[in-house]
Amino acid sequence: MSLFRLDTSIRTEGSVSREVTDTLEKAYLEQHPGGTVIRRDLGTQPLPADLWATAAFAGYTPEDQRSEAQKTAVATAKELVDELLRADSIVVGAPLYNFGVSQHLKTWIDVVITDPRFAAGVENPLAGRPVAIVVARGGGYGAGTPREGWDHGIGWLSRIFADVWGGAVTVVEAELTLADTVEAMAALRPLAAEVREKAHQQAAATGKEFAQSAA
Ligand SMILES: Cc1cc2nc3c(=O)[nH]c(=O)nc-3n(C[C@H](O)[C@H](O)[C@H](O)COP(=O)(O)O)c2cc1C
C-alpha cells in the first residue's frame, strides 16, 4: 500500500497545502499503519526548467542518436512515472501562484507526459486511481466574489489528472490563506479559519477513504 505525495509549495514554514496534505497522509497511515509514502518535493527540489524541452525533443530523436542530456532527461521522466505508478493513491499539494499552478508543477506534468506511458493518445494511464488535489490560495475565489473565475490552476489540474489521465479526482480547497498576515484582510480571519478547518476535515476523510479503497 502506498501513497504518492507531491508537494509544490515554495514554502516549508507556514505552508497551508503542506499542512492539509499532512492531515490526509496521517489519516491514510492511520487506516493502514504498514503503508508507505513515496514523496517528491518540487518546492524544495524543483526539476530543471529546461528538462521538459530536452525530454520532449529526445522523443523525436532515434534512441541511438540521443545526446547525453537527452538520455538523462528520458531517464528522469521514467523515474517520475515509475514512482507515480508505484502508488495506489496520489495527493498533490497545489498552491495558487499568479492565478495558476506553480512553474515546478507544470514542469513535472509536462515531463511526465514525455514518457510513453503518459504520451498523448494513451488513454487513462491512472485508470481510476484516487487522486487528491489540495489547493491553497491566498485570496477568495467563491461565486459572486470579484475574483470568481480567476483561479486558472484547479481547472487545468483537474483536466490533466481526471480527464486526460483518468484519475478519480477529489479537490480539497483552502482559501483566504493570506488573511492571517495581510492586515487589509483582517475581517476575513474567522471565515479563513472556518475554510481551513473544513479543508482539514475533508483531507482526513479523503485519506481514510483512499486507504480503504486501496485495501
Ligand atoms: C509568488 C506568489 C504568487 C501568489 N499568487 C497568488 C495568486 O495569484 N492568487 C492568490 O489567491 N494567492 C496567491 N499567492 C498566495 C498563495 O496562494 C498562498 O500563500 C498559499 O497559501 C500558498 O500555498 P502554501 O500555503 O502551501 O505555501 C501567491 C503567493 C506567492 C508567494
Side-chain angles (χ1 to χ4, degrees):
M1 296 241 356
S2 52
L3 172 72
F4 174 62
R5 172 174 177 161
L6 186 65
D7 281 298
T8 69
S9 170
I10 56 175
R11 305 195 277 183
T12 51
E13 295 297 315
S15 161
V16 176
S17 63
R18 288 177 192 272
E19 271 172 32
V20 175
T21 303
D22 283 345
T23 298
L24 188 150
E25 176 186 322
K26 191 164 161 266
Y28 180 93
L29 291 175
E30 269 168 13
Q31 194 67 28
H32 268 289
T36 53
V37 180
I38 303 163
R39 297 169 194 280
R40 183 165 287 270
D41 192 333
L42 298 173
T44 57
Q45 290 172 298
L47 299 166
D50 61 353
L51 177 64
W52 167 60
T54 310
F57 282 123
Y60 301 110
T61 309
E63 238 176 289
D64 59 349
Q65 291 169 34
R66 284 180 189 158
S67 67
E68 284 311 308
Q70 286 176 329
K71 285 180 198 162
T72 304
V74 168
T76 304
K78 180 179 180 305
E79 184 191 334
L80 298 181
V81 171
D82 284 348
E83 71 185 3
L84 176 63
L85 292 179
R86 217 181 309 135
D88 51 67
S89 310
I90 296 156
V91 57
V92 181
L96 186 69
Y97 293 129
N98 303 324
F99 307 108
V101 299
S102 115
Q103 170 211 331
H104 303 327
L105 179 53
K106 177 75 166 60
T107 297
W108 180 86
I109 288 171
D110 287 340
V111 173
V112 163
I113 292 174
T114 66
D115 184 273
R117 290 166 289 178
F118 279 73
V122 174
E123 277 192 26
N124 302 331
L126 291 182
R129 221 169 287 209
V131 179
I133 301 175
V134 175
V135 175
R137 53 189 179 226
Y141 293 78
T145 63
R147 288 284 193 249
E148 178 183 0
W150 282 57
D151 178 346
H152 297 284
I154 191 55
W156 180 72
L157 286 172
S158 299
R159 278 270 177 251
I160 295 290
F161 280 95
D163 302 325
V164 180
W165 292 353
V169 170
T170 302
V171 177
V172 179
E173 289 174 292
E175 64 173 16
L176 299 172
T177 66
L178 288 174
D180 284 347
T181 50
V182 174
E183 216 36 56
M185 293 173 76
L188 292 166
R189 282 174 194 160
L191 178 59
E194 203 180 298
V195 169
R196 188 156 335 164
E197 180 51 31
K198 275 196 190 138
H200 279 288
Q201 285 170 9
Q202 194 193 350
T206 304
K208 187 175 173 190
E209 192 188 302
F210 280 12
Q212 284 168 342
S213 73

